């Protein structure tokens, strides 16, 4: 899920805000807390927990087939129900199939793009499951991409040793649901994304009040942007696939 890598960058931004507030100007922490009008519970005092949700949709005109493609199924339903859409659903080219089923369901190891973070290089690696569900109709369906397991490989050190240790213990939870409907002249794609990230920090990296609220707002905005781009990418990948000449 490409949104997860983008959210790591968002964490860097919010962490920069927090550490500046906590260590440069202690009074800033109180202003942040007041602005957010929130309190950080004792149990989460050393834990980053960011929650992001997003929903969006795109629509387009049905693909007109060339004479050579007559008889071939170039529908959106066929694209999203087949392995042809797996890479765009997973958000990365760097995937390794772990297992698959006849229904089009599959489990992949997905290495996301690296993220530069406070002198470290973070490489998120997810075990993603693709679950496809059709309603019995060729005109609509749903595919869910979920995070089954996650780990973060960390390169670098020095000042980032404590952060590196924390990131290795980070926990990602999330899923993206893509549903669609199509008719003879048009199609409609909807996306729904939920992403949670939890990082337990060492005591030398305390969090100021309101930090999780600020971070969640940044992550939620990032989720909206990434989901919108993801649907645009799905649409573009479908059009490219549908317009590709079929060789017999």
């Amino acid at each position: 899920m490409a949104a997860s890598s983008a959210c790591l960058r968002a964490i860097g931004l919010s962490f920069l805000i927090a550490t500046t507030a906590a260590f440069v100007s202690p009074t800033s922490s109180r202003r942040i807390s007041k602005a957010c009008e929130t309190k950080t519970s004792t149990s989460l005092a050393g834990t980053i927990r960011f929650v992001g949700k997003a929903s969006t949709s795109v629509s387009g005109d049905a693909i007109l087939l060339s004479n050579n493609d007559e008889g071939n199924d170039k529908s959106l339903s066929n694209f999203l129900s087949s392995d042809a859409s797996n890479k765009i659903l997973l958000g990365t080219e760097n995937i390794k199939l772990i297992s698959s089923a006849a229904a089009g369901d599959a489990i992949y190891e997905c290495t996301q793009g690296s993220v530069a973070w406070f002198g470290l290089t973070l490489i998120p690696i997810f075990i993603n499951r693709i679950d496809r569900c059709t309603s019995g109709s060729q005109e609509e369906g749903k595919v869910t991409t979920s995070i089954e397991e996650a780990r973060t490989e960390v390169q670098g050190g020095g000042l980032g040793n404590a952060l590196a240790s924390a990131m290795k213990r980070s926990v990602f939870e999330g899923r993206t649901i893509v549903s669609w409907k199509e008719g003879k002249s048009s199609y409609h794609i909807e996306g729904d994304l939920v992403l949670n990230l939890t990082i337990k920090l060492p005591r030398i990296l305390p969090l100021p009040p309101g930090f999780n609220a600020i971070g969640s707002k940044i992550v939620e905005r990032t989720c909206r942007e990434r989901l919108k781009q993801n649907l645009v990418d799905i649409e573009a990948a479908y059009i490219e696939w549908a317009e590709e000449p079929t060789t017999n």
Side-chain angles (χ1 to χ4, degrees):
M1 294 169 64
S4 301
S5 294
C7 286
L8 281 176
R9 295 184 178 89
I11 292 169
L13 173 59
S14 51
F15 197 86
L16 180 61
I17 294 171
T19 51
T20 300
F23 300 118
V24 177
S25 176
T27 58
S28 298
S29 299
R30 292 192 291 272
R31 290 199 296 269
I32 290 175
S33 179
K34 185 177 180 180
C36 292
E37 295 182 352
T38 184
K39 295 182 179 179
T40 304
S41 66
T42 303
S43 61
L44 293 180
T47 301
I48 293 175
R49 180 165 175 79
F50 292 159
V51 179
K53 298 180 180 180
S55 298
T56 191
S57 63
V58 296
S59 298
D61 296 328
I63 304 297
L64 297 177
L65 301 179
S66 66
N67 292 334
N68 293 334
D69 284 327
E70 289 183 359
N72 295 310
D73 188 351
K74 293 288 190 174
S75 65
L76 176 66
S77 292
N78 189 40
F79 174 68
L80 288 173
S81 299
S82 71
D83 291 344
S85 61
N86 283 355
K87 287 185 177 180
I88 198 67
L89 291 171
L90 294 168
T92 178
E93 293 280 332
N94 195 348
I95 63 176
K96 178 182 178 182
L97 179 65
I98 296 177
S99 64
S100 61
D105 300 345
I107 298 177
Y108 286 89
E109 180 182 270
C110 305
T111 302
Q112 304 291 330
S114 61
V115 180
W117 202 62
F118 287 92
L120 303 174
T121 298
L122 309 180
I123 304 175
I125 301 175
F126 301 136
I127 304 301
N128 289 136
R129 178 186 294 273
I130 296 178
D131 289 314
R132 290 183 164 93
C133 176
T134 58
S135 61
S137 168
Q138 294 184 346
E139 287 76 35
E140 60 183 274
K142 179 175 71 174
V143 57
T144 302
T145 306
S146 56
I147 299 175
E148 296 288 295
E149 300 176 21
R151 69 181 188 272
T152 303
E153 292 187 356
V154 182
Q155 300 173 358
L159 180 62
N161 280 337
L163 291 175
S165 177
M167 288 308 303
K168 288 179 181 178
R169 298 193 302 271
S170 61
V171 178
F172 286 92
E173 299 171 305
R175 56 106 182 105
T176 303
I177 298 176
V178 175
S179 57
W180 68 89
K181 293 183 180 180
E182 64 179 327
K184 293 182 178 180
S185 60
S186 64
Y187 59 82
H188 182 72
I189 309 173
E190 295 184 354
D192 183 74
L193 167 66
V194 175
L195 181 64
N196 298 333
L197 172 59
T198 303
I199 306 173
K200 293 184 178 180
L201 296 176
R203 292 184 178 181
I204 62 172
L205 296 173
L207 295 180
F211 173 70
N212 283 329
I214 292 174
S216 290
K217 289 180 180 179
I218 295 173
V219 168
E220 185 144 326
R221 183 175 68 242
T222 303
C223 284
R224 288 197 301 269
E225 294 170 353
R226 289 305 306 168
L227 180 62
K228 183 177 180 179
Q229 184 60 51
N230 187 220
L231 292 195
V232 170
D233 291 343
I234 290 174
E235 183 180 32
Y238 164 58
I239 293 172
E240 180 181 357
W241 172 83
E243 293 181 344
E244 187 175 278
T246 302
T247 57
N248 296 320

